[in-house]
Amino acid sequence: MPYEVIEFRETPNPNALKCVIEGRITPAPRSYHRPDQGTNDALASALFAIRGVTNLLIHEDWITVGKAADVAWGPIKTAVRDVLRKAT
């Protein structure tokens, strides 16, 4: 099911961004502190394929994306929107 990002919200951590999603992603939260932890999760794998994404918290209607400090948010935001629009 494709998802739309309603908005991106800053967090106290400059390397983490909350993505508020239209619709329900999951009934139970899941988190991945490293890309290898998300290999059995299609959505997590697609998000980890984005250059710079280091960790994820996937909640009912939002996702927090963590990034490497040396990577800009602009390309990550664009890629997150694309991944979520193509999610099945």
Side-chain angles (χ1 to χ4, degrees), residues 9-25:
R9 292 184 188 163
E10 293 182 6
T11 69
N13 177 349
N15 293 316
L17 192 65
K18 185 175 184 178
C19 310
V20 180
I21 309 300
E22 182 179 343
R24 187 176 178 149
I25 298 171

Side-chain angles (χ1 to χ4, degrees), residues 73-85:
W73 275 118
I76 292 175
K77 287 180 181 180
T78 299
V80 165
R81 283 186 190 276
D82 289 344
V83 164
L84 292 172
R85 284 184 183 136

Side-chain angles (χ1 to χ4, degrees):
M1 169 182 205
Y3 304 100
E4 280 297 322
V5 176
I6 296 171
E7 68 176 314
F8 291 102
R9 292 184 188 163
E10 293 182 6
T11 69
N13 177 349
N15 293 316
L17 192 65
K18 185 175 184 178
C19 310
V20 180
I21 309 300
E22 182 179 343
R24 187 176 178 149
I25 298 171
T26 183
R30 53 197 195 266
S31 63
Y32 305 104
H33 301 284
R34 300 181 318 271
D36 64 308
Q37 293 178 324
T39 56
N40 293 327
D41 181 324
L43 179 58
S45 292
L47 290 167
F48 276 126
I50 299 168
R51 184 182 167 278
V53 172
T54 59
N55 56 70
L56 298 167
L57 172 56
I58 302 172
H59 209 272
E60 188 173 293
D61 59 354
W62 53 268
I63 298 172
T64 297
V65 176
K67 71 169 186 75
D70 62 337
V71 179
W73 275 118
I76 292 175
K77 287 180 181 180
T78 299
V80 165
R81 283 186 190 276
D82 289 344
V83 164
L84 292 172
R85 284 184 183 136
K86 295 173 185 172
T88 56

